[in-house]
Amino acid sequence: MHRKFSIFLVKPSHYDADGYVIQWYRSSIPSNSLASVYGLIAECAAAKTLGPDVDIEIDACDECNTIVDIKRIIRTIRAAGGGFVGLVGVQSNQFPRALDLARRFRAADIPVVIGGFHVSGCLSMLPELPADLKEAQALGVSFFAGEAEGRMATLLKDIDSGQLKPIYNYLSAMPDMEAATLPILPVEIVGRIAGTYASFDAGRGCPFQCSFCTIINVQGRKSRYRTADDVEGIVRANAAQGVSRFFVTDDNFARNKNWEAILDRLIELKEVHGFKIRLLLQVDTLCHRITGFIEKAARAGCGTVFIGLENINPESLAGTKKRQNKIWEYREMLQAWRRQGVVTYAGYILGFPTDTPESIARDIEIIKNELPIDVLEFFCLTPLPGSEDHQKLQAKGVPMDPDMNKYDLEHVCTGHAKMSKEQWQQCYRDAWKRYYTLEHVETIMRRARASRIHLPKVGNALMYFSGSIGIEDVHPLQVGVVRRKVRTHRRSGMTLENPLIFYPRRGAELAKSGIQWLRLALRYRAIRKRIARDPASYDYTDEALQPVTAEHPDHFVDHYADKIPKTHGAPAQRAPAAPAVAVEA
Ligand code: B12
Ligand code: SF4
């Protein structure tokens, strides 16, 4: 008999401090986890995995841009007579929200499977299930640990036959990425991302050993890559539905051993076949050493690059085993991207063991003066479940915040040898203020003009980063366009607010943030216009734009001269160290 099997995939968001789900009319970054799992289930649907008479129907949403209609999902699965809810790519900070959603579905007896880094990281690194996973298990939720490529059919068959197991653990066997199923999402879902970006991972796994990182313990230390043919397949499948912008989610695309074949193929698709490809890449701080990498990336359509700078203090980098970051090459690397007109975003982590409020303030001023970075984003060093840091603290019984919702890299979750929790949290807030002063925003725009980088592009990126913290009070990686709050979607344990209080306050909040965004946009536009009108702006220069030569050595390095390890290629120490730069109060 012909029947349906109905699958709903939800990528959960997480809660703000008031217990409301952080979601928007349009979110800013696509979820690659959702695209990967969707692609795998679409493949099973096409292959009629559950038999020729069973139609597998899939619906998917990213909660960052869509309100999850719990009742409709329950109705649809019941009407189909079979199916399940997959909570996809659930990070630690999203686990409390995932659990609240699961609770509702399990109360209606709908099967629920949770996958993603929290489940995989905990199963990989902890001796026993932590309390939140046990709570989910008690509700009858199943876990999927490890990667699902080549394993989805087994799961679907188990659910369909009522044999769903409590845990699917594939962490010991990483699937090959060559010719692996392609990540894809229908255009209606991609269209809910501002700028209509799709995503794909061209590789997984990493050989390095940064102690704060979960990736190595979940995806392994052996790198696996997609081929140029696969990437062409992803581009063509998206182009067929009018999508041509991609966020390549590899933690470091420069480490992908197929980078050149992939970029060459993208260049061919662009230049010979007329595909209008735009790429957003993530790379490390050594990518400029690879001959032709930056030039080819730009030709293939890369207009923006995320760089894992992490920190500029060599002591901090060594302490966390990030020895591959060579600070004496940062300026050269950033200048190489600028020469290709690419906008640079750099991530900076606060709270390494040697950090103090004074050293953080000093380091940010050094960056502003000496490194030509466009957008800088800050994170608190966090013992993420699945990382070596978390495992060690747990084993030693060091207190860590029990609320997983806070593991979003914006909250301080454990102690620090030199700062109180409050000081550290304040450092995080101050770091944004310190970097995004109007004065420094103008400097960045002047540098962009001098480097012939598209001024509005840099201006808009700066506005979006400073506004997400200053106006929306969320990290730019989580921000979107126009915040949504659903009164009834509040964290479990928190009381629902009276509609007469909730709705007028929401109206006032929306009006306030609208006005604040408008004011910020006008301020940045005034700066941009001032620079555009200034004929001398093309000749602007400063320390950060100076090339590093024998005559003009990079005295950025001098600030840390006594801390640079004596490794191959490191500059000879030029003690005594230069006096510290002035730090604004
Ligand atoms: C791209 C990315 C983002 C993107 C998009 C998110 C996404 N998940 O696609 C953006 C920029 C938004 C993002 C933001 C953040 N991210 Co992020 N992100 C990544 C990154 C680099 C790649 C994710 C990815 O595509 N992986 C590949 C997919 C296919 O793997 P996967 O999610 O594990 O899914 C597979 C399996 O788990 C399984 N699976 C997953 N779900 C399900 C569900 C079912 C039903 C089944 C059967 C199987 C299944 O099948 C999938 C295919 O094999 C990862 C690191 C990494 N290498 O994965 C970090 C990572 C996931 N992010 C992390 C963090 C901490 C964050 C932030 C909190 C802060 C930050 N600075 O990064 C914010 C959170 C904001 C938010 N609202 O999401 C951590 C999470 C660690 C943890 N324990 O929680 C990671 C691991 C990086 C790290 N620092 O260690 N991130
Ligand atoms: S932080 Fe980046 S370089 Fe370090 S281990 Fe993780 S993926 Fe590799």
Side-chain angles (χ1 to χ4, degrees), residues 9 11 13 29-33 36-37 40 64 84 86-94 113-118 120 144 146-149 152 155 201 204 212-215 219 247 249 251 282 379 384-385 407-409 477-478:
L9 300 177
K11 162 84 189 165
S13 179
I29 308 182
S31 168
N32 186 52
S33 310
S36 302
V37 176
L40 290 165
C64 295
F84 76 102
L87 299 175
V88 177
V90 181
Q91 302 177 359
S92 301
N93 70 91
Q94 296 153 352
V113 182
I114 302 185
F117 263 71
H118 187 60
S120 294
F144 192 98
E147 296 172 26
E149 281 73 8
M152 196 57 88
L155 178 76
D201 44 355
R204 292 184 194 159
F212 56 81
C213 179
T214 61
I215 294 161
Q219 297 182 334
F247 172 29
T249 60
D251 311 284
Q282 306 200 110
F379 303 99
L384 288 169
Y407 285 64
D408 54 3
L409 279 50
L477 285 186
Q478 293 191 59

Side-chain angles (χ1 to χ4, degrees), residues 21-93:
V21 179
I22 299 178
Q23 52 193 172
W24 314 84
Y25 280 95
R26 288 284 174 275
S27 61
S28 55
I29 308 182
S31 168
N32 186 52
S33 310
L34 193 61
S36 302
V37 176
Y38 189 96
L40 290 165
I41 294 183
E43 192 180 52
C44 291
K48 291 273 177 195
T49 295
L50 298 181
D53 295 335
V54 186
D55 291 336
I56 298 177
E57 294 187 342
I58 327 163
D59 200 343
C61 76
D62 182 343
E63 207 187 15
C64 295
N65 56 37
T66 307
I67 290 160
V68 180
D69 188 342
I70 298 172
K71 287 184 183 153
R72 183 178 73 87
I73 295 176
I74 295 172
R75 264 198 320 269
T76 312
I77 296 179
R78 279 186 177 157
F84 76 102
V85 171
L87 299 175
V88 177
V90 181
Q91 302 177 359
S92 301
N93 70 91

Side-chain angles (χ1 to χ4, degrees), residues 208-229:
F208 292 116
Q209 273 182 290
C210 309
S211 62
F212 56 81
C213 179
T214 61
I215 294 161
I216 36 183
N217 306 315
V218 171
Q219 297 182 334
R221 291 193 52 210
K222 182 176 179 297
S223 303
R224 295 161 286 135
Y225 311 104
R226 292 191 198 273
T227 61
D229 286 347

Side-chain angles (χ1 to χ4, degrees), residues 480-498:
V481 182
V482 185
R483 176 73 199 268
R484 298 169 98 168
K485 284 186 196 176
V486 181
R487 188 181 69 88
T488 50
H489 284 204
R490 205 171 189 198
R491 190 169 183 177
S492 61
M494 295 180 94
T495 45
L496 293 190
E497 288 184 279
N498 184 323

